[in-house]
Each structure stands twice: as C-alpha cells, then as structure tokens.
Amino acid sequence: MQGSKNVFLHLASAALLSAHPVRLHNVPRITDTGVVADIIGAAGAQVSFDGAGMDVHAADVTSGVIPPDLGGMIRPTACFGAALLARTGRAVFPMPGGDAFAVRRIDLHLEAMRAAGAEVRTANGIVSARIRTGLCGFSFDCTTPGGFGPSLGATVTALLLAASARGESRVVSPSGEPEVHATAELLRRMGVPIEAENGVLLVEGRDRLAPAAARVPADRMAAGTLLLAGAITNGRVEVEDPTLDSLPRGFVDTLADVGLKLTRGIGTIRTTPSDLHPVTVETGVHPGYPTDLQPQLVALLTQTPGTSRVLERIYAQRATHVPGLVALGADVTARGQELTITGRSRLRGTTVHGDDIRAATALVLAALAARGTTRVYGVRHLRRGYEDLADTLGALGADITEEDH
C-alpha cells in the first residue's frame, strides 16, 4: 500500500520547523507530493523526492509566503502557513484548496495563530499573519462549532505553533486522528516534549529542533477503497502492509454489518465474498467510520438488497457523488446530512463526473459493478490521492484504462 496522503501532508508541514534535515519515508507518489515539494522550495528550503522518500532541509527558510497557485491546490495550506509563521515570524498564504464538497473553514487555524500571539488579517482570499515579539505559550481549544468534533487541521496547526513557542502550551480537546498522532510523534523525535493529560496535549516549545525521520504509514483510505472494490464486484482482494488493527474500528465493524468478511493475515487483510445486508451507519471522528470512505461505501450499498442510510457527521454535507451514482442507475437520495440508498440497483455504463477525490473514486467503484462502459471524468482528482489507481484495479482484473483530457 502507498503511504498515507493525509498523514504525509501534515508531516511535511512539521518538517519545515527544523533547521536540520528531516527524512520522510514511504511518501506517496501523488500530485499533492509535487505541490508540497514546490511549497517547501518556495520558502527557501532544500527538498528532494526520490520516489520512496522525501528529504527536507529547512536551514535557510527565507520566505513566509506560500504562492497562491500552490497553496490553493492542497487542503492543509494553513498548517504550512503556521510552520512558516513559526520559522520566519510572518506567513502569507491563500485560502486552501483541495476537495470542495462542502464549505471547509479555516477559522480555527487563524484563532490558533492569534492565541500564539500573531496578528492575523484576511483580504481578498489571502491570509497575512505576523509575530512581532515571538511566539508565546498559549492555550487553544480545537473543538469545532456545530458539533462536528475537534478539528484535525487546527490541532496540527496548534501543535506546530506550540512546538516553537516560548514556554508551555495547552492544546485542548485535540483531534485523535492518526494524522495528529503521527505529527506529534515526529515533533517528539525533533526534541519537543509533548504529553497527553486528560484530553489536553501539553507542549513545551523549543528554540531549536533536532534532525529526525519518520515513516508515513499505509494509507487507510486507499486500503479501504480497494477492500470495497473487492466487495462491490463480489471478488477477493488482499491488501498488504496495513493490519486489521490499523483500520478504523468503525470501518471494520461496518463492513462486518454489511456482511463482508475480513480475514487477518501476517501484515495483510483479505476480503471474502459474502451475502450483503443493508445498514445504517454514521461517519465520525477516529476510530469511527471515516468520512473519506463514505462515498465508496455508498457505491457498495447501491448493490446491497434493501434500504441503507448513511449519516454524515463530520461535514455539513458530503453528497457530490450522488448525481453520478444516480446517472448510473442507483437509487440514492440526499437530504441534508442523510443519504438513503435502496438496492440492489442495476447499474448501466454512462458518462459521469467526479468533482473531488472520494466522489470520483466512488464512481469508479460503481462503474466496476455496472453493465457496459462507463467514462469517469475527474482523473486529476484521483491522482491527488492515489498512486496509479487504474493500474492497481487493472492488476486485480478490472477492464479499465486511463486517459488524459
């Protein structure tokens, strides 16, 4: 399995904090990796990617500016802005890009910067932040308004700022997602003391951070996608590298409820075809059912007899995959945060468009189960998150080709 896209993006932002070399192993070969390398290079740091790992040497960070054309292509732009703010005392960056399936604010990122002592203003889609007297220890609550749980990105932003602040900082109600744990572990290897205590991360900032290395774990979203591809085609898929314990418990439990048997091997997970059953499931923070596997699950449920319901609890809405699934012949309706799927639908090939990574992936999975040929537009989104998804599915027996348009 490829390295995790989401974990890599956050580790790369942390690598900018150290003036010493940082090596990231198992970096995914995706387009977002190239964007990250360009952002790091634009800051004046040395960066190289050899196909298996990335080396970052940020001794000579000369600029806190993230070019708008680069920052607008990835989601955790504010995390890179926080790292540059810590290193240079100044950060100028655009509103982030990435998938636009819902309004995804960065208010909490900016509040974390203010809590650390920065002056922050926004104008015409550009954020400008400045520290005049150095970062100071602070306390920051990562809870999002609206009951959507703690913010993963804002937790990382707070950690990066706290790692370079004078004195102790308190990151309250942090996200428990693997991306946060991986970032905290890399910061510890850089010499930053971080302790977890009663729902608070206590961070003792350091002026100088040490050289370090970290391995990007297997991408749990890519692994889940391939397991669901096996299920929707009534096939067998064995995924190497991730263990069953590394997958979110909510994902494993939901697949069991659907009727999909997962077998644990030595460093592998295997799916076995089985009769499928309708389910009601809610997305949630880790270890709940991950929102980034919600569209793919909906694709599978179109081939599950009976009525299923999927409740999106991470974002106010996530239904960009629904129009494409309906065009293929699926019976799927969206009302607010609730999706209702009635199966088993007879899917037929047509032309569909995927407007974000996971929506495009869901349409590819549905196309595997459809009669005839389906043309899925949105390959550029797939390349942001997956290494050669078409080739991987082809090796598993899919009749699939990829074209540039």
Side-chain angles (χ1 to χ4, degrees), residues 8-312:
F8 160 69
L9 291 173
H10 292 93
L11 292 182
S13 65
L16 277 171
L17 290 180
S18 178
H20 297 284
V22 175
R23 169 75 174 179
L24 301 179
H25 299 277
N26 197 37
V27 171
R29 300 186 305 275
I30 55 177
T31 56
D32 274 16
T33 296
V35 175
V36 165
D38 289 342
I39 288 174
I40 293 173
Q46 299 178 25
V47 58
S48 62
F49 177 57
D50 58 19
M54 177 175 285
D55 291 291
V56 178
H57 193 181
D60 299 317
V61 173
T62 57
S63 173
V65 178
I66 298 177
D69 60 326
L70 296 176
M73 294 175 68
I74 61 172
R75 181 62 201 161
T77 305
C79 297
F80 285 90
L84 293 175
L85 180 64
R87 286 297 307 275
T88 70
R90 174 174 179 259
V92 179
F93 56 93
M95 292 296 177
D99 293 335
F101 52 80
V103 176
R104 304 170 75 182
R105 301 181 180 277
I106 62 168
D107 302 50
L108 282 178
H109 293 264
L110 306 187
E111 288 304 315
M113 294 177 186
R114 293 188 179 100
E119 299 173 3
V120 183
R121 60 185 178 86
T122 60
N124 301 317
I126 300 294
V127 176
S128 299
R130 183 181 294 277
I131 295 287
R132 298 190 182 278
T133 58
L135 291 169
C136 301
F138 60 94
S139 181
F140 177 72
D141 192 326
C142 302
T143 305
T144 61
F148 294 106
S151 168
L152 186 166
T155 301
V156 172
T157 285
L159 279 174
L160 300 182
L161 295 169
S164 300
R166 295 192 303 271
E168 184 180 82
S169 297
R170 292 167 49 86
V171 182
V172 181
S173 298
S175 166
E177 297 286 341
E179 288 79 0
V180 171
H181 290 295
T183 303
E185 180 56 31
L186 176 58
L187 292 174
R188 290 187 185 100
R189 293 180 184 182
M190 291 178 175
V192 179
I194 301 176
E195 299 292 337
E197 184 178 294
N198 298 322
V200 177
L201 294 177
L202 303 176
V203 185
E204 188 70 34
R206 290 289 184 264
D207 291 334
R208 297 177 183 274
L209 275 67
R215 187 178 193 277
V216 179
D219 195 312
R220 62 194 188 279
M221 304 309 168
T225 294
L226 293 175
L227 294 172
L228 289 168
I232 202 170
T233 56
N234 197 36
R236 290 178 171 84
V237 172
E238 186 171 24
V239 180
E240 294 183 353
D241 195 5
T243 63
L244 202 56
D245 292 336
S246 71
L247 293 178
R249 190 71 244 170
F251 175 74
V252 175
D253 290 346
T254 297
L255 263 57
D257 291 341
V258 171
L260 182 64
K261 183 179 179 181
L262 297 182
T263 304
R264 186 196 309 263
I266 301 176
T268 66
I269 307 165
R270 179 181 301 164
T271 60
T272 302
S274 182
D275 293 332
L276 300 180
H277 312 288
V279 295
T280 295
V281 61
E282 296 187 12
T283 63
V285 297
H286 188 81
Y289 192 92
T291 183
D292 278 356
L293 287 172
Q294 183 255 92
Q296 299 92 308
L297 175 65
V298 172
L300 172 64
L301 294 176
T302 69
Q303 300 305 293
T304 301
T307 299
S308 297
R309 289 180 174 81
V310 176
L311 306 175
E312 176 58 51

